[in-house]
Amino acid sequence: MSAQIIDGKAFAATVREKVAAHVTRIKDENGITPGLAVVLVGEDPASQVYVRSKGKQTIEVGMNSYEHKLDADTSEATLLALIDKLNNDPEVHGILVQLPLPGHLNEDLVINSIDPAKDVDGFHISNVGLLGTGQKSMVPCTPLGCLMMLRGHLGSLSGLDAVVIGRSNIVGKPMAQLLLGDSCTVTIAHSRTKDLPDVVRRADIVVAAVGRAEMVPGDWIKPGATVIDVGINRIDAPEKGEGKTRLVGDVHFDSAAKVAGAITPVPGGVGPMTIACLLANTLTACCRANGLVEPEGLTA
Ligand SMILES: Nc1nc(=O)c2c([nH]1)NC[C@@H]1CN(c3ccc(C(=O)N[C@@H](CCC(=O)O)C(=O)O)cc3)C=[N+]21
C-alpha cells in the first residue's frame, strides 16, 4: 500500500484564491483593504526568507503589507511602542511579531501587548482562552492549516483517535484543541510519554510537531492513518554533494508513506498552508473589525 500525498501547496493555493476573491469583494463593496504588519527583530537569515515570502503573498492576494525590521538590540520599550502604534492604526488589521525574539526581550509580554483582535498568530492569552473554551478567536496558523487539510482529506473527523506529538503553545496545544473541537479523541504525546510507539499506533490521525528530524518511523503508523508532518528540519545531505542540506519532517517519509493512508510531504505540506492561513486570519480580522461578513471555510 502507498499513501496518498496531501498536497499542501495545492491546498494553500485554494485558500489564497478564496482570500483574494473576498479581498476583492470588500475592496469594491466597502472600500476597505486588509493590512498585515510583520515585525522582525534581528537578522536571522531563515526568518528573513520567511518574512519576505509572507510579504510577497500578502500583496498577491490584494492586501497591504507593512514590514518593520528592527535591530537585534532593540529595547523592549521600543518594540512595545511600535506594537502600540500598530494596535491603534486602523489600516493594520493583523500584526505578526516573528518568533523567536532575541533573548533580552520577554516574548510573553510582547505577544500579550498585541491587540487580541489583531493577533493573527493566535498566540495572545485571550485567544488561547477563547479557543480552549470553544469561543470565536484568532486560531494559530499552523494548526489551522493542519485542520483544513485533515477536513479536506477526511471530511468528518468525528470520533477518530488523534495523537498530537509535541506540546508547544504554537502547535501542539492549539492543534489538540482544534481536534477536540472536531470531536476527535485526542492524546497529546511528548518527550516523556511512555511507550510512544504504541500510543502512535492507535491513532487514526497523527500530527507530528516535535522538531526532531525523521523521529517517527513507518512502523509506528497504523495502516491507513492520516499523517500530518509539521516538522521542518534541515539536515545534511552528503548524497547531494559536500556541504549540501535538505529539508525533512518529523516523520520518516519513505517508511511512513508505505503504511499511511495519506501523508503531508516536507517541504510542500504544512509550511505553505501556514502562510496561507496567516492571510486568511488577516482577512478574518479585517472583517470582524469592520462588522463585515466573514469569509466561509477559512476559520475553525
Ligand atoms: N510569529 C510567528 N509566526 C509564525 O508562523 C512563524 C514564526 N513566528 N517564526 C518562524 C516560523 C516558521 N514558519 C514557517 C512557515 C512556513 C514555512 C514554509 O512554507 N516552508 C516551506 C519550505 C521553505 C524552504 O524551502 O525553506 C515548506 O514547508 O514547503 C516555513 C516556516 C512560520 N513561523
Side-chain angles (χ1 to χ4, degrees), residues 47 50 54 96-100 121 123 142 232 234 247 266-269 271-272 274-275:
S47 280
Y50 172 57
K54 277 189 289 206
L96 179 144
V97 177
Q98 179 83 7
L99 300 178
D121 262 328
F123 296 161
T142 298
I232 301 179
R234 194 165 281 287
L247 291 181
V266 179
T274 296
I275 302 183

PDB file of all heavy atoms in Angstrom, residues 47 50 54 96-100 121 123 142 232 234 247 266-269 271-272 274-275, ligand 1:
ATOM      1  N   SER A  47      14.535  33.553   9.046  1.00  0.00           N
ATOM      2  CA  SER A  47      13.376  34.395   9.320  1.00  0.00           C
ATOM      3  C   SER A  47      13.171  35.422   8.220  1.00  0.00           C
ATOM      4  O   SER A  47      12.055  35.720   7.823  1.00  0.00           O
ATOM      5  CB  SER A  47      13.539  35.130  10.654  1.00  0.00           C
ATOM      6  OG  SER A  47      13.227  34.284  11.722  1.00  0.00           O
ATOM      7  N   TYR A  50      11.486  33.859   5.296  1.00  0.00           N
ATOM      8  CA  TYR A  50      10.082  33.613   5.600  1.00  0.00           C
ATOM      9  C   TYR A  50       9.267  34.912   5.561  1.00  0.00           C
ATOM     10  O   TYR A  50       8.184  34.952   4.966  1.00  0.00           O
ATOM     11  CB  TYR A  50       9.997  32.929   6.968  1.00  0.00           C
ATOM     12  CG  TYR A  50       8.622  32.768   7.530  1.00  0.00           C
ATOM     13  CD1 TYR A  50       7.624  32.086   6.824  1.00  0.00           C
ATOM     14  CD2 TYR A  50       8.302  33.299   8.771  1.00  0.00           C
ATOM     15  CE1 TYR A  50       6.367  31.947   7.350  1.00  0.00           C
ATOM     16  CE2 TYR A  50       7.042  33.155   9.304  1.00  0.00           C
ATOM     17  CZ  TYR A  50       6.069  32.488   8.591  1.00  0.00           C
ATOM     18  OH  TYR A  50       4.821  32.364   9.119  1.00  0.00           O
ATOM     19  N   LYS A  54       6.123  35.917   3.054  1.00  0.00           N
ATOM     20  CA  LYS A  54       4.823  36.370   3.556  1.00  0.00           C
ATOM     21  C   LYS A  54       4.416  37.698   2.928  1.00  0.00           C
ATOM     22  O   LYS A  54       3.273  37.878   2.519  1.00  0.00           O
ATOM     23  CB  LYS A  54       4.893  36.561   5.085  1.00  0.00           C
ATOM     24  CG  LYS A  54       4.689  35.295   5.844  1.00  0.00           C
ATOM     25  CD  LYS A  54       4.546  35.555   7.331  1.00  0.00           C
ATOM     26  CE  LYS A  54       5.834  35.974   7.966  1.00  0.00           C
ATOM     27  NZ  LYS A  54       5.931  35.670   9.397  1.00  0.00           N
ATOM     28  N   LEU A  96       1.865  40.512  13.179  1.00  0.00           N
ATOM     29  CA  LEU A  96       2.642  39.303  13.487  1.00  0.00           C
ATOM     30  C   LEU A  96       4.033  39.729  13.927  1.00  0.00           C
ATOM     31  O   LEU A  96       4.713  40.453  13.211  1.00  0.00           O
ATOM     32  CB  LEU A  96       2.729  38.403  12.256  1.00  0.00           C
ATOM     33  CG  LEU A  96       3.545  37.107  12.424  1.00  0.00           C
ATOM     34  CD1 LEU A  96       2.911  35.986  11.639  1.00  0.00           C
ATOM     35  CD2 LEU A  96       4.997  37.282  12.014  1.00  0.00           C
ATOM     36  N   VAL A  97       4.415  39.327  15.127  1.00  0.00           N
ATOM     37  CA  VAL A  97       5.787  39.537  15.588  1.00  0.00           C
ATOM     38  C   VAL A  97       6.515  38.213  15.424  1.00  0.00           C
ATOM     39  O   VAL A  97       6.159  37.203  16.050  1.00  0.00           O
ATOM     40  CB  VAL A  97       5.824  39.995  17.062  1.00  0.00           C
ATOM     41  CG1 VAL A  97       7.273  40.145  17.530  1.00  0.00           C
ATOM     42  CG2 VAL A  97       5.064  41.304  17.242  1.00  0.00           C
ATOM     43  N   GLN A  98       7.494  38.219  14.544  1.00  0.00           N
ATOM     44  CA  GLN A  98       8.211  36.982  14.216  1.00  0.00           C
ATOM     45  C   GLN A  98       8.937  36.433  15.453  1.00  0.00           C
ATOM     46  O   GLN A  98       9.650  37.157  16.128  1.00  0.00           O
ATOM     47  CB  GLN A  98       9.206  37.294  13.091  1.00  0.00           C
ATOM     48  CG  GLN A  98      10.041  36.142  12.631  1.00  0.00           C
ATOM     49  CD  GLN A  98       9.339  35.260  11.623  1.00  0.00           C
ATOM     50  OE1 GLN A  98       8.247  35.561  11.151  1.00  0.00           O
ATOM     51  NE2 GLN A  98       9.960  34.161  11.289  1.00  0.00           N
ATOM     52  N   LEU A  99       8.729  35.154  15.716  1.00  0.00           N
ATOM     53  CA  LEU A  99       9.384  34.461  16.828  1.00  0.00           C
ATOM     54  C   LEU A  99      10.456  33.514  16.275  1.00  0.00           C
ATOM     55  O   LEU A  99      10.331  33.076  15.139  1.00  0.00           O
ATOM     56  CB  LEU A  99       8.345  33.681  17.634  1.00  0.00           C
ATOM     57  CG  LEU A  99       7.213  34.507  18.252  1.00  0.00           C
ATOM     58  CD1 LEU A  99       6.241  33.595  18.988  1.00  0.00           C
ATOM     59  CD2 LEU A  99       7.755  35.587  19.170  1.00  0.00           C
ATOM     60  N   PRO A 100      11.460  33.146  17.044  1.00  0.00           N
ATOM     61  CA  PRO A 100      11.759  33.631  18.392  1.00  0.00           C
ATOM     62  C   PRO A 100      12.325  35.048  18.383  1.00  0.00           C
ATOM     63  O   PRO A 100      12.916  35.477  17.392  1.00  0.00           O
ATOM     64  CB  PRO A 100      12.818  32.637  18.879  1.00  0.00           C
ATOM     65  CG  PRO A 100      13.502  32.153  17.631  1.00  0.00           C
ATOM     66  CD  PRO A 100      12.446  32.167  16.563  1.00  0.00           C
ATOM     67  N   ASP A 121      -1.555  35.559  14.724  1.00  0.00           N
ATOM     68  CA  ASP A 121      -0.885  34.310  15.115  1.00  0.00           C
ATOM     69  C   ASP A 121      -1.726  33.515  16.106  1.00  0.00           C
ATOM     70  O   ASP A 121      -1.473  32.321  16.313  1.00  0.00           O
ATOM     71  CB  ASP A 121       0.461  34.621  15.787  1.00  0.00           C
ATOM     72  CG  ASP A 121       1.638  34.511  14.841  1.00  0.00           C
ATOM     73  OD1 ASP A 121       1.575  33.667  13.924  1.00  0.00           O
ATOM     74  OD2 ASP A 121       2.620  35.249  15.044  1.00  0.00           O
ATOM     75  N   PHE A 123      -1.638  33.845  19.330  1.00  0.00           N
ATOM     76  CA  PHE A 123      -0.796  33.498  20.477  1.00  0.00           C
ATOM     77  C   PHE A 123      -1.152  34.283  21.742  1.00  0.00           C
ATOM     78  O   PHE A 123      -0.685  33.962  22.833  1.00  0.00           O
ATOM     79  CB  PHE A 123       0.698  33.739  20.172  1.00  0.00           C
ATOM     80  CG  PHE A 123       1.255  32.868  19.074  1.00  0.00           C
ATOM     81  CD1 PHE A 123       2.441  33.214  18.423  1.00  0.00           C
ATOM     82  CD2 PHE A 123       0.612  31.684  18.688  1.00  0.00           C
ATOM     83  CE1 PHE A 123       2.970  32.414  17.414  1.00  0.00           C
ATOM     84  CE2 PHE A 123       1.140  30.888  17.679  1.00  0.00           C
ATOM     85  CZ  PHE A 123       2.321  31.258  17.043  1.00  0.00           C
ATOM     86  N   THR A 142      -0.529  27.519  11.914  1.00  0.00           N
ATOM     87  CA  THR A 142      -0.090  26.159  11.572  1.00  0.00           C
ATOM     88  C   THR A 142      -1.155  25.115  11.921  1.00  0.00           C
ATOM     89  O   THR A 142      -1.527  24.300  11.065  1.00  0.00           O
ATOM     90  CB  THR A 142       1.269  25.843  12.227  1.00  0.00           C
ATOM     91  OG1 THR A 142       2.242  26.755  11.719  1.00  0.00           O
ATOM     92  CG2 THR A 142       1.709  24.416  11.937  1.00  0.00           C
ATOM     93  N   ILE A 232       9.860  20.977  10.182  1.00  0.00           N
ATOM     94  CA  ILE A 232      10.687  21.433   9.061  1.00  0.00           C
ATOM     95  C   ILE A 232      12.123  21.456   9.582  1.00  0.00           C
ATOM     96  O   ILE A 232      12.517  22.379  10.284  1.00  0.00           O
ATOM     97  CB  ILE A 232      10.262  22.832   8.550  1.00  0.00           C
ATOM     98  CG1 ILE A 232       8.794  22.827   8.087  1.00  0.00           C
ATOM     99  CG2 ILE A 232      11.168  23.285   7.411  1.00  0.00           C
ATOM    100  CD1 ILE A 232       8.278  24.165   7.578  1.00  0.00           C
ATOM    101  N   ARG A 234      16.275  20.986   8.793  1.00  0.00           N
ATOM    102  CA  ARG A 234      17.323  20.969   7.757  1.00  0.00           C
ATOM    103  C   ARG A 234      18.409  19.995   8.188  1.00  0.00           C
ATOM    104  O   ARG A 234      18.939  20.109   9.293  1.00  0.00           O
ATOM    105  CB  ARG A 234      17.879  22.387   7.570  1.00  0.00           C
ATOM    106  CG  ARG A 234      18.705  22.567   6.330  1.00  0.00           C
ATOM    107  CD  ARG A 234      18.932  24.038   5.990  1.00  0.00           C
ATOM    108  NE  ARG A 234      17.794  24.670   5.327  1.00  0.00           N
ATOM    109  CZ  ARG A 234      17.430  24.446   4.060  1.00  0.00           C
ATOM    110  NH1 ARG A 234      18.099  23.577   3.310  1.00  0.00           N
ATOM    111  NH2 ARG A 234      16.403  25.063   3.525  1.00  0.00           N
ATOM    112  N   LEU A 247      15.587  19.528   3.414  1.00  0.00           N
ATOM    113  CA  LEU A 247      14.561  19.650   4.443  1.00  0.00           C
ATOM    114  C   LEU A 247      13.865  18.310   4.634  1.00  0.00           C
ATOM    115  O   LEU A 247      13.517  17.644   3.660  1.00  0.00           O
ATOM    116  CB  LEU A 247      13.503  20.688   4.033  1.00  0.00           C
ATOM    117  CG  LEU A 247      13.924  22.155   3.986  1.00  0.00           C
ATOM    118  CD1 LEU A 247      12.732  23.018   3.593  1.00  0.00           C
ATOM    119  CD2 LEU A 247      14.481  22.619   5.319  1.00  0.00           C
ATOM    120  N   VAL A 266       7.262  17.120   3.262  1.00  0.00           N
ATOM    121  CA  VAL A 266       8.080  18.268   3.677  1.00  0.00           C
ATOM    122  C   VAL A 266       9.258  18.361   2.715  1.00  0.00           C
ATOM    123  O   VAL A 266       9.995  17.386   2.581  1.00  0.00           O
ATOM    124  CB  VAL A 266       8.620  18.095   5.121  1.00  0.00           C
ATOM    125  CG1 VAL A 266       9.497  19.294   5.505  1.00  0.00           C
ATOM    126  CG2 VAL A 266       7.492  17.919   6.112  1.00  0.00           C
ATOM    127  N   PRO A 267       9.442  19.487   2.024  1.00  0.00           N
ATOM    128  CA  PRO A 267       8.576  20.666   2.014  1.00  0.00           C
ATOM    129  C   PRO A 267       7.290  20.423   1.206  1.00  0.00           C
ATOM    130  O   PRO A 267       7.109  19.343   0.671  1.00  0.00           O
ATOM    131  CB  PRO A 267       9.462  21.711   1.335  1.00  0.00           C
ATOM    132  CG  PRO A 267      10.366  20.921   0.435  1.00  0.00           C
ATOM    133  CD  PRO A 267      10.631  19.627   1.174  1.00  0.00           C
ATOM    134  N   GLY A 268       6.434  21.442   1.158  1.00  0.00           N
ATOM    135  CA  GLY A 268       5.240  21.364   0.331  1.00  0.00           C
ATOM    136  C   GLY A 268       4.017  20.821   1.043  1.00  0.00           C
ATOM    137  O   GLY A 268       3.023  20.459   0.401  1.00  0.00           O
ATOM    138  N   GLY A 269       4.068  20.758   2.377  1.00  0.00           N
ATOM    139  CA  GLY A 269       2.914  20.273   3.138  1.00  0.00           C
ATOM    140  C   GLY A 269       2.351  21.367   4.015  1.00  0.00           C
ATOM    141  O   GLY A 269       1.668  22.287   3.533  1.00  0.00           O
ATOM    142  N   GLY A 271       3.928  23.777   5.708  1.00  0.00           N
ATOM    143  CA  GLY A 271       4.548  25.106   5.592  1.00  0.00           C
ATOM    144  C   GLY A 271       3.756  26.088   4.731  1.00  0.00           C
ATOM    145  O   GLY A 271       3.379  27.168   5.198  1.00  0.00           O
ATOM    146  N   PRO A 272       3.471  25.730   3.478  1.00  0.00           N
ATOM    147  CA  PRO A 272       2.695  26.646   2.630  1.00  0.00           C
ATOM    148  C   PRO A 272       1.311  26.960   3.204  1.00  0.00           C
ATOM    149  O   PRO A 272       0.810  28.081   3.044  1.00  0.00           O
ATOM    150  CB  PRO A 272       2.578  25.880   1.305  1.00  0.00           C
ATOM    151  CG  PRO A 272       3.732  24.937   1.299  1.00  0.00           C
ATOM    152  CD  PRO A 272       3.992  24.575   2.728  1.00  0.00           C
ATOM    153  N   THR A 274       0.592  27.203   6.370  1.00  0.00           N
ATOM    154  CA  THR A 274       0.767  28.156   7.476  1.00  0.00           C
ATOM    155  C   THR A 274       0.678  29.587   6.957  1.00  0.00           C
ATOM    156  O   THR A 274      -0.025  30.428   7.521  1.00  0.00           O
ATOM    157  CB  THR A 274       2.127  27.920   8.176  1.00  0.00           C
ATOM    158  OG1 THR A 274       2.116  26.626   8.767  1.00  0.00           O
ATOM    159  CG2 THR A 274       2.399  28.966   9.241  1.00  0.00           C
ATOM    160  N   ILE A 275       1.369  29.844   5.855  1.00  0.00           N
ATOM    161  CA  ILE A 275       1.360  31.207   5.310  1.00  0.00           C
ATOM    162  C   ILE A 275      -0.022  31.546   4.748  1.00  0.00           C
ATOM    163  O   ILE A 275      -0.534  32.645   4.952  1.00  0.00           O
ATOM    164  CB  ILE A 275       2.461  31.377   4.239  1.00  0.00           C
ATOM    165  CG1 ILE A 275       3.834  31.052   4.854  1.00  0.00           C
ATOM    166  CG2 ILE A 275       2.449  32.798   3.671  1.00  0.00           C
ATOM    167  CD1 ILE A 275       5.011  31.248   3.924  1.00  0.00           C
TER     168      ILE A 275
HETATM  169  N1  LIG B   1       5.119  34.730  14.975  1.00  0.00           N
HETATM  170  C1  LIG B   1       5.493  33.740  14.168  1.00  0.00           C
HETATM  171  N2  LIG B   1       4.565  33.079  13.434  1.00  0.00           N
HETATM  172  C2  LIG B   1       4.948  32.068  12.578  1.00  0.00           C
HETATM  173  O1  LIG B   1       4.082  31.463  11.913  1.00  0.00           O
HETATM  174  C3  LIG B   1       6.333  31.730  12.476  1.00  0.00           C
HETATM  175  C4  LIG B   1       7.242  32.470  13.249  1.00  0.00           C
HETATM  176  N3  LIG B   1       6.795  33.440  14.091  1.00  0.00           N
HETATM  177  N4  LIG B   1       8.554  32.207  13.187  1.00  0.00           N
HETATM  178  C5  LIG B   1       9.104  31.276  12.235  1.00  0.00           C
HETATM  179  C6  LIG B   1       8.132  30.167  11.963  1.00  0.00           C
HETATM  180  C7  LIG B   1       8.468  29.375  10.733  1.00  0.00           C
HETATM  181  N5  LIG B   1       7.314  29.459   9.878  1.00  0.00           N
HETATM  182  C8  LIG B   1       7.255  28.882   8.608  1.00  0.00           C
HETATM  183  C9  LIG B   1       6.168  28.985   7.776  1.00  0.00           C
HETATM  184  C10 LIG B   1       6.157  28.449   6.500  1.00  0.00           C
HETATM  185  C11 LIG B   1       7.246  27.751   6.032  1.00  0.00           C
HETATM  186  C12 LIG B   1       7.234  27.169   4.652  1.00  0.00           C
HETATM  187  O2  LIG B   1       6.398  27.490   3.837  1.00  0.00           O
HETATM  188  N6  LIG B   1       8.190  26.248   4.329  1.00  0.00           N
HETATM  189  C13 LIG B   1       8.322  25.608   3.023  1.00  0.00           C
HETATM  190  C14 LIG B   1       9.778  25.345   2.708  1.00  0.00           C
HETATM  191  C15 LIG B   1      10.601  26.579   2.619  1.00  0.00           C
HETATM  192  C16 LIG B   1      12.059  26.265   2.286  1.00  0.00           C
HETATM  193  O3  LIG B   1      12.290  25.652   1.257  1.00  0.00           O
HETATM  194  O4  LIG B   1      12.923  26.646   3.103  1.00  0.00           O
HETATM  195  C17 LIG B   1       7.612  24.252   3.007  1.00  0.00           C
HETATM  196  O5  LIG B   1       7.458  23.668   4.077  1.00  0.00           O
HETATM  197  O6  LIG B   1       7.257  23.815   1.923  1.00  0.00           O
HETATM  198  C18 LIG B   1       8.343  27.620   6.845  1.00  0.00           C
HETATM  199  C19 LIG B   1       8.341  28.157   8.131  1.00  0.00           C
HETATM  200  C20 LIG B   1       6.384  30.260  10.473  1.00  0.00           C
HETATM  201  N7  LIG B   1       6.810  30.728  11.651  1.00  0.00           N
END
